[in-house]
């Protein structure tokens, strides 16, 4: 019997049936889509060496800024802690005095109640939680002598004063807690910036690190040339001042060559102090930069300048933000050895000028106290020059 099924040519599709050719194509498409979906995202382009250098410099600058904020917060916290300790000691002494007087008051009140006679001993330390109310209620106030009544009044006053001291101590404790929290935040900020800088540097190849060192060397050479230029200009200015100076024994009406008020370049007392500061600074060269450190084994930038001027008998504040106001501001053209050079718009770095366009400073984490040109980052980052003492 002949078949009634209709013949279909190879490669065509009937209902519910996919031919091998189309099935293979579909499977291939699915596989490609799956591979695309599971593929890793394209890697970000590797930053150039110049970009890495700038990023690292920015991170170190941010770390220094955070360090100075940390220093300011730590100093504030230390002062608050001393105040809290003093208040708590005062409250403890007052409380002990009140407790002793309370015991005497109890004996005195009992004697008055039983016999109407005064208790032996001095009544100058009478004390109770509510003495006035107690004596009013028992009518003992009428039996007190003038001196005893004065003692009760003194107690009431002292008790109120002690209560205020307790409140003041409580407020100071709350402020101290807030400062301690801020200190932790500042510390974490510094550590975060430094970790990010180390991470960037760790990803450099040996060749890239060598190239980065070569770039840094060129910058140092350029900075040294700028230092030499400044030294030559200062030498020319000093020579001109000497050549135009009046003969010995005559008065010129001026006290120095810097053109500024206050301490001047010809101030022998300042020169002597600056010499001591510089000598101390040179002895610190080679010691590591450690953020928050004030010596003697390590320093941060403002910790170093504070220490060197302390060696010269001059007390400077702890942070760059305060040191910049601790003296007379002079123009860069009038800079003298011993002056402080501040950097960046946020005044986050400082160094001690030692002459010839050079300074001694604690540069940054991972570096050591060293002498280098004040133009190490270009003249544009120099904020101001201050003459302390």
């Amino acid at each position: 019997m002949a078949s009634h099924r209709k013949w279909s040519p190879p490669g065509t599709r009937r209902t519910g049936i996919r031919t091998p050719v189309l099935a293979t194509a579909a499977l291939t498409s699915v596989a490609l889509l799956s591979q695309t979906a599971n593929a890793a995202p394209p890697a970000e382009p590797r930053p150039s060496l110049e970009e890495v250098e700038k990023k690292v410099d920015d991170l170190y600058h941010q770390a220094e800024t955070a360090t100075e904020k940390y220093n300011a917060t730590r100093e504030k916290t230390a002062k608050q802690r001393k105040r809290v300790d003093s208040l708590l000691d005062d409250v403890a002494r007052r409380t002990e005095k009140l407790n002793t007087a309370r015991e005497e008051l109890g004996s005195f009140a009992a004697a008055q109640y039983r016999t109407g006679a005064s208790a032996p001993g001095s009544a100058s330390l009478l004390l109770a939680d509510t003495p006035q109310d107690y004596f009013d209620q028992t009518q003992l106030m009428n039996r007190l002598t003038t001196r005893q009544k004065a003692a009760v009044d003194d107690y009431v006053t002292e008790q109120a004063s002690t209560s205020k001291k307790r409140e003041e101590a409580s407020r100071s404790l709350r402020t101290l807690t807030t400062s301690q929290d801020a200190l932790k935040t500042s510390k974490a900020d510094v550590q975060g910036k430094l970790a990010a800088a180390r991470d960037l540097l760790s990803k450099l190849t040996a060749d890239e690190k060598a190239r980065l060192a070569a770039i840094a060397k060129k910058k140092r050479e350029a900075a040294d040339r700028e230092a030499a230029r400044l030294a030559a200009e200062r030498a020319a200015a000093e020579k001109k001042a000497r050549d135009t100076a009046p003969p010995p024994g005559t008065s010129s009406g001026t006290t120095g060559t810097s053109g500024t008020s206050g301490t001047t370049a010809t101030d022998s007392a300042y020169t002597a102090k600056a010499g001591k500061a510089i000598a101390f600074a040179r002895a610190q060269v080679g010691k590591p930069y450690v953020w928050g450190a004030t010596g003697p084994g390590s320093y941060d930038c403002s910790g170093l300048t504070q220490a060197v001027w302390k060696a010269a008998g001059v007390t400077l504040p702890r942070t760059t933000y305060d040191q910049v106001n601790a003296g007379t501001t002079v123009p860069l053209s009038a800079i003298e050895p011993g002056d402080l050079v501040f950097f960046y718009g946020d005044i986050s770095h400082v160094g001690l000028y030692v002459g010839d366009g050079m300074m001694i400073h604690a540069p940054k984490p991972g570096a050591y106290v060293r002498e280098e040109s004040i133009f190490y980052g270009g003249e544009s980052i120099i904020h101001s020059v201050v003459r302390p003492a």
Side-chain angles (χ1 to χ4, degrees):
M1 179 183 294
S3 172
H4 294 287
R5 288 181 297 176
K6 186 176 180 181
W7 177 82
S8 297
T12 61
R13 180 176 181 273
R14 288 190 291 176
T15 304
I17 301 176
R18 184 181 297 273
T19 65
V21 173
L22 292 178
T24 301
L27 289 172
T28 302
S29 298
V30 170
L32 289 173
L33 288 172
S34 177
Q35 291 175 2
T36 302
N38 295 328
E44 293 183 4
R46 185 177 178 82
S48 67
L49 199 58
E50 290 74 15
E51 290 173 333
V52 171
E53 180 196 30
K54 184 179 185 307
K55 183 64 176 176
V56 169
D57 286 345
D58 287 345
L59 285 168
Y60 277 136
H61 176 207
Q62 291 171 29
E64 268 207 309
T65 300
T67 294
E68 289 305 311
K69 290 180 179 178
Y70 170 85
N71 290 338
T73 303
R74 187 171 67 173
E75 187 175 34
K76 180 181 178 182
T77 300
K79 290 179 180 179
Q80 289 172 337
R81 185 176 290 111
K82 287 182 180 179
R83 175 165 177 74
V84 167
D85 290 344
S86 176
L87 285 169
L88 291 177
D89 287 344
D90 187 23
V91 168
R93 285 192 298 270
R94 290 170 181 267
T95 301
E96 185 177 0
K97 181 179 177 181
L98 291 173
N99 290 338
T100 301
R102 183 179 292 110
E103 293 175 1
E104 292 191 12
L105 175 61
S107 298
F108 170 72
Q112 286 282 6
Y113 182 78
R114 289 193 303 269
T115 67
S118 297
S122 172
S124 61
L125 291 179
L126 292 178
L127 184 60
D129 290 336
T130 55
Q132 187 69 47
D133 290 345
Y134 179 79
F135 280 100
D136 284 345
Q137 291 168 6
T138 60
Q139 298 182 347
L140 290 177
M141 285 298 290
N142 294 329
R143 301 178 185 177
L144 297 181
T145 65
T146 300
R147 181 181 176 186
Q148 290 166 344
K149 288 180 179 179
V152 173
D153 290 339
D154 289 344
Y155 161 73
V156 173
T157 301
E158 180 66 20
Q159 189 181 47
S161 178
T162 302
S163 179
K164 288 182 179 180
K165 286 291 182 181
R166 287 196 184 101
E167 292 175 1
E168 187 178 356
S170 295
R171 288 194 300 271
S172 294
L173 276 171
R174 290 193 293 270
T175 301
L176 177 59
T177 300
T178 300
S179 294
Q180 288 172 331
D181 290 341
L183 193 62
K184 292 178 182 178
T185 300
S186 296
K187 184 176 182 179
D189 192 18
V190 176
Q191 292 173 329
K193 297 295 189 302
L194 296 180
R198 287 193 296 267
D199 182 61
L200 277 174
L201 292 173
S202 69
K203 295 177 181 178
L204 296 178
T205 65
D207 179 63
E208 287 173 328
K209 290 179 180 178
R211 288 163 52 200
L212 197 61
I215 292 174
K217 181 181 179 182
K218 287 183 179 180
K219 287 186 175 181
R220 285 196 301 272
E221 291 171 349
D224 289 343
R225 288 193 295 271
E226 283 297 296
R229 175 190 61 77
L230 177 63
E233 290 176 355
R234 292 293 297 131
E238 290 171 1
K239 182 178 184 303
K240 182 178 179 180
R242 288 194 300 271
D243 292 343
T244 58
T250 62
S251 174
S252 65
T254 60
T255 59
T257 61
S258 70
T260 62
S261 60
T263 305
T264 67
T266 56
D267 186 332
S268 59
Y270 178 77
T271 301
K273 290 178 181 178
K276 291 180 181 178
I278 292 171
F280 183 89
R282 292 194 189 285
Q284 311 314 305
V285 170
K287 294 183 179 180
Y289 176 106
V290 175
W291 65 275
T294 57
S298 58
Y299 300 89
D300 62 18
C301 67
S302 57
L304 176 65
T305 50
Q306 183 187 49
V308 300
W309 269 105
K310 182 179 180 180
V314 177
T315 300
L316 292 181
R318 174 64 182 93
T319 68
T320 54
Y321 311 129
D322 292 325
Q323 288 181 10
V324 74
N325 296 314
T328 303
T329 300
V330 299
L332 182 61
S333 60
I335 192 170
E336 293 289 343
D339 293 348
L340 300 178
V341 188
F342 295 89
F343 298 88
Y344 303 107
D346 58 2
I347 321 176
S348 57
H349 188 65
V350 62
L352 179 78
Y353 187 68
V354 296
D356 295 330
M358 306 296 284
M359 68 177 174
I360 292 176
H361 69 147
K364 61 184 179 181
Y368 297 84
V369 175
R370 66 192 182 205
E371 181 175 337
E372 68 179 328
S373 168
I374 64 173
F375 301 102
Y376 76 102
E379 187 171 352
S380 63
I381 70 168
I382 296 178
H383 176 274
S384 57
V385 178
V386 172
R387 187 160 298 160

